[in-house]
Structure formats: C-alpha cells, structure tokens
Amino acid sequence: MFAGHPVSGGTGAGRVARVDRTRVVVAAHDGPLHLPYPRNGGLPATGDWVWLGPDSVGGTAIIDVLPRRTALTRKQAFDASSEAQVLGANMDVVGVVVPVDRPLTHNRLERSLVAAWDSGATPLVVITKADLAGVADDVVATVLHQAAGAAVVTTSAQQGDGLEELLSHLPPGGTIMLLGPSGAGKSTLINALAGADVQDTGPVRAGDGKGRHTTTVRELVPLPGGAVLMDTPGVRGFGLYDAEDGMGEMFGDLEELFAGCRFADCAHDREPGCAIQAALADGTLEGRRWASYQKMQRELAALGRRHDAAARRAYQREWHQKVSAASRGQRAAERLGEGYGAKRAAGSGEPGSSRGGGSGGKAGRRGR
C-alpha cells in the first residue's frame, strides 16, 4: 500500500491506533507515537495507515493518510448534520455484537448490518454471553434468519467458547472491528481474545440490561498471532450515511419482490399487482421488516435532501462571494477612473482645475 502511494518527504510508515481530542496515537516501527493532527487533509480515523515524516522543528509528524480500503461510517450524532463520521478504517471484518441476556432489537441488528455491508468489510454477527441465558438457541435462530448471508458465531468469553471460531473468520494479520451497544460484553470478549485484561469491564443494570460505557475511545488492540481488534464505544443509535450498497445487501429479497410488481413505478401501497403487498398478505414478508426498510429509506432520503441543501447553500455562498468581489472590483475601478480623469483635467488646465487660470487658481489670486 505504501509503495503504491509514495509521498514526498515520507520517511516512515505507521497506523493510527487511537484518535484523542488533541493528539493521534500512531503505532510505528519503533513504538507508539503521540502526534498532533496533520495540518493538511482531514482528520485521521482509527485504523488509518499514515505516512510519517519530519516536521518543521525536527520532530515527527503525519504528512499523509493513505486511501482507505474499507471504512465504517455513520451520520453525525446531531440530527441537523448531513456529515459523515468515520468510526474506523481498513478493517477486514465488522463484528456486530448481539448479547443474549437482553431482548433482541431487530431494527438495531438490521441497521448495524446495513452499515457493516456498506463499509466494504465482511459482516459477522457475534453473539455474546451464551452462558448467561438458556435462550441462546432461539436468539441464534432468529439472528440467522435476519443476518442476510452474514456468518454467525456464538461466544462465551467466560468459558472461552467460540473464540477460535471467531478468529478463524479473520485473514492472517487482519483487523476486526466490534460494534454493539454498551453492556454487550465487547470488553470482556476483547480481554478473552487478547489473553489479558486490556479493557475495563463494568456491571450491567438488571432492570434494563444496559451497561455504562467502559470503552470511551476507538482504539486498536493487538491480538496474539498478529491479528488486530478495533474496539468501539457502545453506540445508542446508528444514523445511516450513504448506505445504498448496504441496503441492497441487507434487503436484497425486497428488491427481488419489487421486480415482480405490475407497475414499474409502484409505490407498494395500494396499487393492484403489488408484489410487496401480496407478500405481506401471505406472510412471506414480515410487516416489521418492511417497516424497518421503509424507515431506513426515508432516513437516507432525508439525509440526501439535507446534503443537497447544504451543497446548494455552499454554492450560493461561493456565488455571492464572487459577485461581491466583482462588485467591489468594479467600484474600485470606477473610483480609480474618476480620480485619473480629475488628475488629467488638473494637468491640462481645464475649468475647475486648481492649476488652471480660473478665479480659484493662484494666478487669479495674484491678479486680485
């Protein structure tokens, strides 16, 4: 990757292991480096490969970020935004963590899998805490039905079950990201995979099954054997961002049904010959799954409209700035022209000129 993207001044290679508020932790050949954000380009994400080089005072700096092979993105947390937030880059597998000690949230699972498919990495559903509940088989069956072709691994970090199977889905030296809600057992699973207590763990509330955020930053954790694990803080919500490819992977069965509708522009509501309505009526399509698809499509459409509106506003600002600059330039040229004409009139002795023979000039005053 580095040979294919040479950079002038690049003297070393590194990988972003963590991004803090003011610093970037980079894993380099000589050990970890705490470096400032790069002056040029965007903010690096955890998992990015970066070129290192000298800074202006003889230290080390990030001088370029290599193109990302894969990236997991979501919409920024605040609703008014249309910008993307990169949660991680260059991972080979995205593990969607599903704990069995709480009710399965179908929409969260589908939404996370859409983002995982869209990232370009291989989605993997990781069921945790299989030793804490007697309903693991039911959860596995339900997840398999919803996983849309993604592999499903059942694990128990406490008993060490499923860890080898989980790692078998990684290529040699590959990177896996774990994505799931707080209290899902990610930190406990990471400690079991790493063979050491590298992450803090916390209790889960008995009332609602939720835990506190023991992980507060996204960071890389090296695993025995050369693999790398990317931990992420628990996410309460996951706003999709430009996830059409992921929607196609997750809801490919619906797109096949669309092709069976009588009308090409079918709204899938009350039109005759609608394959979606027929599938809902005979039970081959769950109403909940159809509603989840519609909700995500509305969300993506709304995001697209906001993004287009932001682009229009940026264009209008740029156009206004150009018009204002042109107007200022025109006014300056006019003032310059007026001043130049006045000077010429003064030098040629035209009426009104202080250098001419009018009554206001020096000659007039001397004559009086």
Side-chain angles (χ1 to χ4, degrees):
M1 291 174 63
F2 283 87
H5 299 88
V7 172
S8 176
T11 58
R15 194 176 190 191
V16 176
R18 193 175 72 202
V19 178
D20 294 328
R21 288 185 179 273
T22 59
R23 291 276 172 172
V24 178
V25 181
V26 176
H29 289 291
D30 297 332
L33 302 173
H34 294 256
L35 303 176
Y37 292 165
R39 293 185 177 181
N40 300 323
L43 177 68
T46 302
D48 271 331
W49 295 98
V50 295
W51 271 108
L52 303 176
D55 60 13
S56 59
V57 294
T60 302
I62 298 173
I63 61 174
D64 198 19
V65 179
L66 268 65
R68 294 163 179 157
R69 294 186 298 108
T70 61
L72 184 73
T73 60
R74 69 171 178 177
K75 186 179 76 66
Q76 290 279 18
F78 49 95
D79 293 339
S81 172
S82 62
E83 300 300 320
Q85 177 188 17
V86 181
L87 299 183
N90 299 313
M91 58 275 177
D92 300 282
V93 176
V94 175
V96 179
V97 178
V98 178
V100 301
D101 62 343
R102 66 183 72 176
L104 177 63
T105 306
H106 300 277
N107 292 344
R108 177 192 290 273
L109 175 59
E110 289 173 343
R111 183 176 291 265
S112 299
L113 283 172
V114 166
W117 281 112
D118 200 67
S119 71
T122 301
L124 175 69
V125 181
V126 181
I127 296 177
T128 59
K129 306 183 182 182
D131 57 299
L132 298 182
V135 296
D137 292 340
D138 295 336
V139 174
V140 172
T142 304
V143 169
L144 282 170
H145 178 66
Q146 288 189 250
V152 179
V153 176
T154 302
T155 66
S156 169
Q158 295 292 342
Q159 299 179 357
D161 295 337
L163 303 185
E164 291 298 327
E165 183 183 359
L166 171 59
L167 292 176
S168 70
H169 289 272
L170 269 176
T175 301
I176 180 173
M177 167 189 273
L178 293 183
L179 179 68
S182 59
K186 298 191 303 299
S187 297
T188 304
L189 179 60
I190 290 171
N191 290 340
L193 291 170
D197 291 337
V198 296
Q199 297 284 52
D200 293 332
T201 59
V204 176
R205 294 197 298 261
D208 55 11
K210 295 182 179 180
R212 67 182 181 88
H213 293 287
T214 55
T215 302
T216 57
V217 295
R218 285 172 284 276
E219 62 180 335
L220 299 183
V221 178
L223 301 179
V228 176
L229 190 147
M230 186 184 302
D231 191 16
T232 62
V235 291
R236 295 185 177 89
F238 203 101
L240 298 179
Y241 183 85
D242 191 21
E244 290 300 330
D245 291 341
M247 291 288 288
E249 293 285 353
M250 188 65 197
F251 294 100
D253 56 328
L254 298 186
E255 295 187 355
E256 292 178 2
L257 285 174
F258 296 156
C261 292
R262 180 184 301 179
F263 303 109
D265 59 347
C266 183
H268 315 299
D269 187 10
R270 298 180 181 179
E271 291 84 353
C274 176
I276 292 292
Q277 293 302 318
L280 290 171
D282 63 21
T284 56
L285 174 60
E286 294 180 83
R288 182 211 57 77
R289 181 172 169 78
W290 173 239
S292 177
Y293 172 84
Q294 289 180 303
K295 181 179 179 180
M296 282 188 259
Q297 285 288 21
R298 288 194 299 268
E299 181 178 324
L300 289 172
L303 179 63
R305 288 193 298 270
R306 284 200 295 271
H307 188 75
D308 291 343
R312 286 196 301 271
R313 288 194 295 270
Y315 173 79
Q316 289 170 353
R317 285 196 300 269
E318 182 180 0
W319 179 83
H320 179 72
Q321 289 170 356
K322 289 181 178 178
V323 171
S324 299
S327 298
R328 289 194 297 269
Q330 180 65 27
R331 289 194 297 270
E334 291 174 354
R335 287 195 298 271
L336 180 62
E338 292 172 356
Y340 179 71
K343 290 180 179 178
R344 289 192 62 186
S348 61
E350 295 178 358
S353 171
S354 61
R355 296 184 181 180
S359 62
K362 291 183 180 179
R365 287 196 295 271
R366 282 196 299 268
R368 288 193 295 269

